[in-house]
C-alpha cells in the first residue's frame, strides 16, 4: 500500500528527491514554490509538495529528505479522497505506458484486468456483475480522473462524444 506525505524544504537538490520518489513507484502532487524577498533582494526559496510513496520505501524517502535539509510529515486524509489518490496511481501508470490519448473505457478495461490479476483496483467495488455495480465503478473511475485533472497530472479532451485522457505534457520541454 501507499503512504501520503508532505515535504517542505529548500529547492537545493529537491530534484534528487523527486526522481527517487518516481523511481520507487511513487507520485508527486501539488508542488508549490515559495520565494521570500525583501525589496529587490532574493532571500530564499522553499518547495512544498504532497507525495505518495510505497510503505516499504518510507525510510529511504525520509532519509533522503533529511539529507537535503527537508522535512517530511505524514498527511492524514479522509478515506474517500485517500482511496481515490491511491487508485489514481494505477490510472497514472496506465496513462504513462500508453504515452498518448486513452479512452475512458480502455482505462476501465485495463483496471478490471489489473483487478483480476492482483485483486486491487477500482473493480474491487464491483463484487457482483450487475449493472449498478458497474455504474459505481465507472463513477469511481470518473472521480479519480477528475481528481487527477484538478491536480494537473492529466488532461482531458472530448472526441466523437467520448472522453480521452493523457498525461499532462510539459510545454517547457
Amino acid at each position: 500500500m501507499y503512504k501520503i506525505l508532505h515535504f517542505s524544504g529548500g529547492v537545493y537538490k529537491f530534484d534528487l528527491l523527486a526522481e527517487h520518489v518516481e523511481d520507487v513507484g511513487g507520485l508527486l502532487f501539488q508542488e508549490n514554490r515559495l520565494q521570500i524577498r525583501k525589496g529587490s533582494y532574493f532571500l530564499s526559496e522553499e518547495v512544498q509538495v504532497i507525495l505518495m510513496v510505497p510503505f516499504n520505501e518510507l525510510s529511504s524517502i525520509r532519509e533522503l529528505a533529511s539529507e537535503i535539509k527537508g522535512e517530511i510529515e505524514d498527511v492524514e486524509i479522509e478515506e474517500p479522497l485517500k482511496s481515490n489518490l491511491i487508485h489514481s496511481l494505477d490510472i497514472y501508470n496506465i496513462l504513462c505506458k500508453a504515452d498518448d490519448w486513452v479512452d475512458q473505457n480502455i482505462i476501465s478495461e485495463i483496471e478490471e484486468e489489473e483487478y483480476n490479476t492482483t485483486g486491487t483496483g477500482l473493480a474491487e467495488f464491483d463484487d457482483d456483475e450487475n449493472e449498478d455495480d458497474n455504474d459505481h465503478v465507472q463513477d469511481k473511475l470518473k472521480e479519480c480522473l477528475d481528481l487527477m485533472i484538478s491536480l494537473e497530472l492529466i488532461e482531458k479532451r472530448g472526441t466523437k462524444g467520448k472522453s480521452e485522457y493523457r498525461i499532462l505534457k510539459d510545454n517547457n520541454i
Side-chain angles (χ1 to χ4, degrees):
M1 202 47 123
Y2 293 90
K3 185 75 173 172
I4 300 170
L5 306 169
H6 176 262
F7 169 83
S8 62
V11 295
Y12 179 68
K13 294 191 179 182
F14 171 73
D15 292 340
L16 292 175
L17 180 67
E19 186 176 314
H20 182 67
V21 168
E22 290 178 3
D23 287 347
V24 299
L27 191 58
L28 293 127
F29 299 102
Q30 285 187 318
E31 181 179 322
N32 295 313
R33 293 182 182 243
L34 172 67
Q35 292 183 348
I36 301 170
R37 297 177 179 267
K38 184 174 183 180
S40 62
Y41 296 102
F42 174 76
L43 298 176
S44 69
E45 185 173 16
E46 183 177 302
V47 175
Q48 292 191 354
V49 65
I50 304 292
L51 43 111
M52 185 169 54
V53 296
F55 274 118
N56 61 341
E57 294 295 334
L58 284 174
S59 60
S60 68
I61 298 295
R62 290 183 192 280
E63 184 179 316
L64 184 55
S66 177
E67 286 177 23
I68 64 171
K69 309 287 189 262
E71 295 179 10
I72 295 279
E73 298 174 11
D74 291 350
V75 176
E76 294 302 321
I77 298 178
E78 297 168 4
E79 186 49 43
L81 179 57
K82 184 176 183 178
S83 176
N84 284 346
L85 283 173
I86 290 170
H87 291 307
S88 294
L89 187 60
D90 294 333
I91 296 167
Y92 187 82
N93 289 334
I94 291 168
L95 294 174
C96 281
K97 290 175 186 174
D99 198 31
D100 200 7
W101 291 99
V102 180
D103 183 270
Q104 181 175 338
N105 294 329
I106 301 295
I107 296 170
S108 181
E109 289 172 15
I110 294 171
E111 268 284 300
E112 187 173 332
E113 287 175 24
E114 184 68 22
Y115 172 73
N116 291 334
T117 305
T118 66
T120 61
L122 293 171
E124 67 189 270
F125 298 107
D126 190 16
D127 292 334
D128 301 326
E129 291 296 321
N130 68 39
E131 230 172 273
D132 291 339
D133 286 338
N134 189 39
D135 288 344
H136 183 67
V137 170
Q138 291 301 318
D139 290 343
K140 293 297 288 180
L141 175 60
K142 181 84 170 91
E143 279 180 39
C144 288
L145 290 167
D146 289 343
L147 175 64
M148 294 174 74
I149 290 169
S150 72
L151 293 171
E152 298 179 353
L153 294 171
I154 64 173
E155 59 185 329
K156 175 183 176 179
R157 76 174 181 187
T159 334
K160 299 177 185 172
K162 295 184 178 182
S163 297
E164 295 182 328
Y165 302 87
R166 74 171 179 188
I167 298 296
L168 189 62
K169 302 292 181 180
D170 189 0
N171 293 332
N172 298 330
I173 298 178

